[in-house]
Structures are given as C-alpha cells and as structure tokens.
C-alpha cells in the first residue's frame, strides 16, 4: 500500500509477521520507562479488592491522566470523585511498545504542537532488518492507530555487520570490534 520497504525482498517478511501477529505483553516490571496509563479504582468504603481477579477487570481505568481516570472511575462506579481511590499500575510499557510511540511522542503528541506539524510524518526510516517487526511494525501500528498517519512512507533496511560465523555483532555476545 502506502508504505514502501526497500529492498523489496523484505516485504515478504513484513507481511508474514503482520499476517501472523499475536498479542504481546506490553508491560514490564522495571523501575524505568513509560508507566502504563492504567488505574485500579475502588470506593473508599470498600474492603480489599483483588486487582488481579478477572472478576474485577471492570475496575481498571485507562486514561491519559489521573484526573481523567478519576472522572471515568466515578462515572463507572456511580459515585462522586471524592469517594474514589485510584491505584496506578506500577508496570512500565515494554521497550518495543515505547519505541513504537517515538516518531510522534518526541514531537509533543498528543498535543498538536508546531514540531509535530512540521516534522511528523517524516519521509524515511533507515534501520537494520533485524528489527523490522519489533520496532518498525510497532511504529507503523502506533502511528496509524494514534495519529491516523504513517510515521514515514519508506523503510530502508541496511545490511547487518556480522562476525566470521555469521552472527550479528553484539556487545552481549562479545564479538564486537574494540575501536581503540
């Protein structure tokens, strides 16, 4: 369609991933990252409610801010806001999810800032083919879902530098070249 993948031979991989997409866990138990915008709502006079019990899933409120969550919770629970207790989910969004937000979030989204108007969408993303699905697809999904716009119209996939056994160069493997 509107997105060009270059070299075109990688389009097959792109569509194979997207045709077989599965849910993925978007949360991580880390101390850093974008905190998940979800709050568990209870009334002040309620006894303990297990937030992990599926029967209480309707108590989870997803919102852009705590104020928005509080208003939504009061409406959902049929009470005044001063009767509500909110507990924010402690988890953070996984790296690929956060990275998927990058093309527009750094421009001030969700506000329609001058930077967003001037620099989003861009024309080209150049990256390694090893993250075609993990990062590029998520940027495209997030861009289309949250801005109704592709974040770029062309993805240029460059070759990967590999060691003598054909493995990707990696600090964790220890097969990188020391530039010093």
């Amino acid at each position: 369609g509107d997105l060009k993948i270059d070299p075109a031979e990688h389009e097959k991989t792109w569509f194979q991933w997207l045709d077989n997409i599965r849910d993925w866990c978007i949360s991580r138990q880390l101390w850093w990252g974008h905190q998940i915008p979800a709050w568990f709502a209870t009334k002040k006079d309620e006894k303990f409610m297990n937030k992990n019990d599926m029967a209480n899933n309707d108590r989870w409120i997803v919102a852009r801010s705590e104020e928005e969550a509080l208003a939504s919770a009061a409406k959902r629970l049929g009470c005044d806001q001063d009767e509500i207790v909110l507990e924010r989910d402690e988890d953070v969004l996984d790296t690929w999810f956060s990275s998927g937000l990058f093309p527009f979030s750094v421009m001030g989204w969700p506000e329609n800032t001058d930077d967003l108007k001037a620099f989003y969408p861009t024309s080209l993303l150049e990256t390694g083919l090893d993250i075609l699905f993990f990062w590029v697809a998520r940027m495209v999904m997030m861009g289309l879902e949250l801005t109704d716009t592709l974040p770029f119209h062309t993805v240029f996939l460059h070759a990967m530098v590999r060691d003598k056994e054909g493995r990707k160069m990696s600090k964790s493997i220890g097969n990188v070249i020391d530039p010093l």
Side-chain angles (χ1 to χ4, degrees), residues 131-144:
I131 59 172
L132 178 62
F133 184 73
F134 297 107
W135 188 29
V136 179
R138 283 163 171 82
M139 286 192 285
V140 168
M141 287 186 264
M142 299 293 178
L144 290 172

Side-chain angles (χ1 to χ4, degrees), residues 1-135:
D2 295 335
L3 181 66
K4 178 183 175 192
I5 297 177
D6 188 19
E9 66 219 37
H10 296 291
E11 288 179 5
K12 181 179 178 185
T13 303
W14 173 262
F15 287 110
Q16 181 178 358
W17 274 104
L18 292 179
D19 288 342
N20 296 293
I21 195 166
R22 299 175 193 264
D23 290 344
W24 88 92
C25 180
I26 64 167
S27 69
R28 297 291 179 263
Q29 292 77 42
L30 300 172
W31 59 271
W32 56 271
H34 294 101
Q35 194 173 8
I36 292 177
W39 289 262
F40 191 75
T42 56
K43 292 182 181 181
K44 288 180 179 175
D45 61 353
E46 286 180 313
K47 296 191 186 219
F48 173 79
M49 292 190 73
N50 184 349
K51 63 184 178 183
N52 296 315
D53 186 338
M54 297 295 281
N56 297 324
N57 273 357
D58 63 330
R59 295 298 186 102
W60 282 103
I61 309 292
V62 176
R64 291 182 185 265
S65 68
E66 187 170 4
E67 294 77 24
E68 186 180 306
L70 187 59
S72 181
K75 183 176 179 182
R76 186 174 296 177
L77 298 179
C79 62
D80 293 331
Q81 290 186 16
D82 61 354
E83 297 177 55
I84 299 290
V85 176
L86 292 178
E87 181 184 348
R88 186 150 184 193
D89 191 321
E90 295 178 0
D91 287 359
V92 297
L93 297 169
D94 94 309
T95 302
W96 297 118
F97 191 98
S98 293
S99 297
L101 299 171
F102 176 81
F104 47 91
S105 65
V106 297
M107 303 297 175
W109 177 90
E111 305 303 321
N112 193 20
T113 65
D114 290 341
D115 283 347
L116 188 65
K117 289 182 234 174
F119 301 111
Y120 184 84
T122 187
S123 57
L124 174 72
L125 173 70
E126 181 269 331
T127 190
L129 61 95
D130 60 328
I131 59 172
L132 178 62
F133 184 73
F134 297 107
W135 188 29

